[in-house]
């Protein structure tokens, strides 16, 4: 068990550019979550997948944001036309949820810190 | 909508002493999970302790224990025998399908 990994760990980009982040969950976990954390705040939910299906998206996820989990394994989060307000830590988490839908503990990756200049 | 409130932005404790971090939440559901996560400076979020709402017994993990008061919607974390390595941001979180976090409490530990 290697834990949740995220790549890159840091990303600096100019306003208006597109960026893509990758998350690799714990291998047997069927749920994958994306959160955004700004300085001094708790993480805020963005979206989550069960296997390859995207089950919920937050209102925080504007149409410039898109997430995929094409084969139910790794996931990507893309931000198009980045804005300075997108600067934050983007956290990925995964969990193993039973068929009955009982949520289990979410395990977090180290995050990707995005800075938009 | 569910909300989580941590009213203590900062707390401090002396090494080997005990400290309690407060958390309250609001929900209309009867079955849910509550968590405390620790986030050391520039390091990733790690689970401290978990409580299932249907369990009356308070969860305990080594030096960490909770005081879960379901009727009062209160979920405090007690850290006993505090160590320098306990210094971090502590987040209380409520879970149905997704985690809803409080704003965190920064814990400082003094030698």
């Amino acid at each position: 068990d290697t834990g949740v990994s995220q790549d890159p760990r840091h990303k600096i980009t100019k306003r208006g550019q597109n960026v893509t982040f990758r998350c690799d969950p714990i291998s047997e976990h069927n749920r994958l979550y994306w959160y955004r954390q700004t300085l001094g705040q708790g993480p805020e939910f963005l979206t989550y997948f069960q296997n390859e299906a995207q089950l919920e998206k937050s209102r925080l996820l504007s149409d410039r944001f898109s997430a995929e989990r094409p084969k139910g394994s790794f996931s990507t989060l893309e931000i198009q036309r980045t804005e300075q307000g997108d600067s934050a830590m983007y956290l990925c988490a995964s969990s193993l949820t039973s068929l009955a839908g009982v949520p289990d503990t979410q395990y977090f990756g180290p995050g990707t810190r995005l800075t938009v200049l | 909508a569910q909300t989580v409130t941590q009213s203590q932005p900062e707390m401090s404790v002396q090494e080997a002493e005990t400290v309690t971090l407060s958390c309250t939440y609001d929900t209309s559901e009867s079955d849910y999970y509550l968590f405390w996560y620790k986030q050391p400076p520039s390091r990733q979020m790690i689970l401290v302790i978990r409580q299932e709402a249907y369990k009356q017994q308070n969860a305990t993990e080594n030096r960490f224990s909770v005081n879960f008061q379901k009727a009062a919607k209160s979920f405090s974390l007690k850290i006993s025998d505090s160590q320098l390595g306990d210094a971090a941001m502590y987040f209380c979180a409520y879970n149905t399908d997704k985690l809803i976090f409080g704003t965190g409490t920064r814990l400082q530990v003094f030698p």
Side-chain angles (χ1 to χ4, degrees), chain A residues 63-78:
Chain A
D63 55 7
R64 297 185 297 105
F65 288 70
S66 62
E68 294 183 343
R69 194 183 183 197
K71 297 183 179 179
S73 56
F74 73 91
S75 175
T76 58
L77 177 68
E78 181 183 18

Side-chain angles (χ1 to χ4, degrees), chain B residues 8-53:
Chain B
Q8 304 157 316
E10 289 192 5
M11 292 284 285
S12 61
V13 64
Q14 200 146 19
E15 211 174 356
E17 297 296 308
T18 296
V19 64
T20 299
L21 308 184
S22 301
C23 173
T24 59
Y25 60 94
D26 190 24
T27 184
S28 57
E29 300 183 355
S30 59
D31 197 14
Y32 48 87
Y33 296 75
L34 295 165
F35 299 83
W36 279 97
Y37 281 89
K38 169 185 177 182
Q39 189 175 40
S42 301
R43 295 181 61 185
Q44 69 192 78
M45 192 92 68
I46 57 175
L47 176 70
V48 175
I49 198 164
R50 158 191 168 129
Q51 175 79 44
E52 290 87 348

Side-chain angles (χ1 to χ4, degrees), chain A residues 37 56 102-104 106 108, chain B residues 33 37 39 44 50 96 98:
Chain A
Q37 185 178 24
E56 186 175 346
V102 176
D104 202 349
Q106 294 183 27
F108 283 81
Chain B
Y33 296 75
Y37 281 89
Q39 189 175 40
Q44 69 192 78
R50 158 191 168 129
T96 51
K98 57 185 178 288

